[in-house]
Amino acid sequence: MPDHDIRDHDTPDHDMPDHDMPDHDTPDHHTPGTRRPMNRKTRAEERIEELDTSPAALTEQIEALTAERDEAIAKVDEYVGLLQRERAEFLNFKRRTADERERAMGLAGVDLITKVLNLADDFDRAIETRPAGLDGDAWAEGIAAIDRKLRLLLESEGVTQVDASPGIPFDPRDHEAIVGVPGTGRAEGEIVEEVRRGYKLRDRVIRPALVAVAAAGDPSGPLN
């Protein structure tokens, strides 16, 4: 047999390629879990750095906030004043409406009461002029009882009689003078006689009393 190297033909006659070997000089790529570089700032940190915290800037911000506060207080005062005025106007309107309604109802009531007073006057004249022979008569006493009930009804509605007693001074708010009477011995202007009763509905005169008053001098006649 020849003297030479015996090679295994099944084994490839070449070395392993260099790229199959790990290269320890090449740096590894970034893998999950690696820390972020320390020089990168967060959004909050960037905003903090953007804030101007110099004394001049802070003073300007304080002045701006103070002006906004003063403006808000002025607006509140204005709105409160408007609200108070509106409330006062509403209360006045409510009061006027109530007064007008009461006055309207009162006028209707006055008209009815005036008619009842005329009826009461008729009863008074009938009682005052009844014949003496009817004293104690049941029929006459019945008429007087009706008159008393009518008076009580009027009083329950707030109707009172105007004072026109002889001797009191004439008052044009409560009395209507129809004649002046001289030589009565009373001071001029004093009531001498009540000719027709007067009435008030609460504090309002709905019918003045017709009276004769003392006058100075001889002539007598209607007073002006």
Side-chain angles (χ1 to χ4, degrees), residues 130-141:
R130 65 181 177 181
L134 291 178
D135 291 342
D137 182 81
W139 181 84
E141 292 299 329

Side-chain angles (χ1 to χ4, degrees), residues 20-202:
D20 291 338
M21 299 297 292
D23 187 359
H24 297 287
D25 295 335
T26 303
D28 294 338
H29 295 288
H30 176 69
T31 58
T34 304
R35 291 187 176 181
R36 182 181 296 174
M38 296 300 294
N39 59 351
R40 186 172 180 179
K41 298 179 181 179
T42 64
R43 182 74 173 170
E45 291 172 341
E46 292 176 355
R47 289 184 176 181
I48 290 175
E49 290 185 352
E50 292 174 358
L51 294 176
D52 187 357
T53 57
S54 63
L58 293 176
T59 301
E60 183 179 354
Q61 293 178 9
I62 291 173
E63 291 177 351
L65 292 173
T66 302
E68 291 180 2
R69 182 205 61 189
D70 295 341
E71 184 179 357
I73 292 175
K75 285 288 185 183
V76 170
D77 293 340
E78 180 183 357
Y79 293 151
V80 169
L82 290 174
L83 180 61
Q84 290 176 342
R85 284 194 293 272
E86 290 293 334
R87 184 175 183 274
E89 290 178 2
F90 173 74
L91 292 176
N92 290 335
F93 169 77
K94 186 177 179 181
R95 188 179 302 110
R96 286 195 305 270
T97 303
D99 291 343
E100 290 173 0
R101 183 170 59 251
E102 183 177 354
R103 191 159 44 246
M105 294 177 63
L107 290 175
V110 167
D111 184 58
L112 176 60
I113 288 173
T114 301
K115 294 178 180 179
V116 175
L117 289 175
N118 293 332
L119 180 61
D121 289 340
D122 292 339
F123 273 101
D124 288 342
R125 284 190 291 269
I127 293 172
E128 291 172 358
T129 59
R130 65 181 177 181
L134 291 178
D135 291 342
D137 182 81
W139 181 84
E141 292 299 329
I143 296 297
I146 293 174
D147 181 63
R148 288 192 296 270
K149 289 181 180 180
L150 188 58
R151 297 293 174 184
L152 292 175
L153 175 62
L154 291 171
E155 290 178 6
S156 68
E157 294 298 324
V159 177
T160 55
Q161 186 173 337
V162 172
D163 185 11
S165 303
I168 68 171
F170 172 81
D171 187 344
R173 294 171 298 181
D174 295 336
H175 311 128
E176 181 179 346
I178 59 173
V179 64
V181 183
T184 60
R186 297 187 180 275
E188 183 178 2
E190 286 187 359
I191 293 177
V192 176
E193 181 184 1
E194 182 183 45
V195 179
R196 189 190 67 179
R197 293 177 180 176
Y199 295 94
K200 290 182 178 180
L201 178 59
R202 300 178 182 88

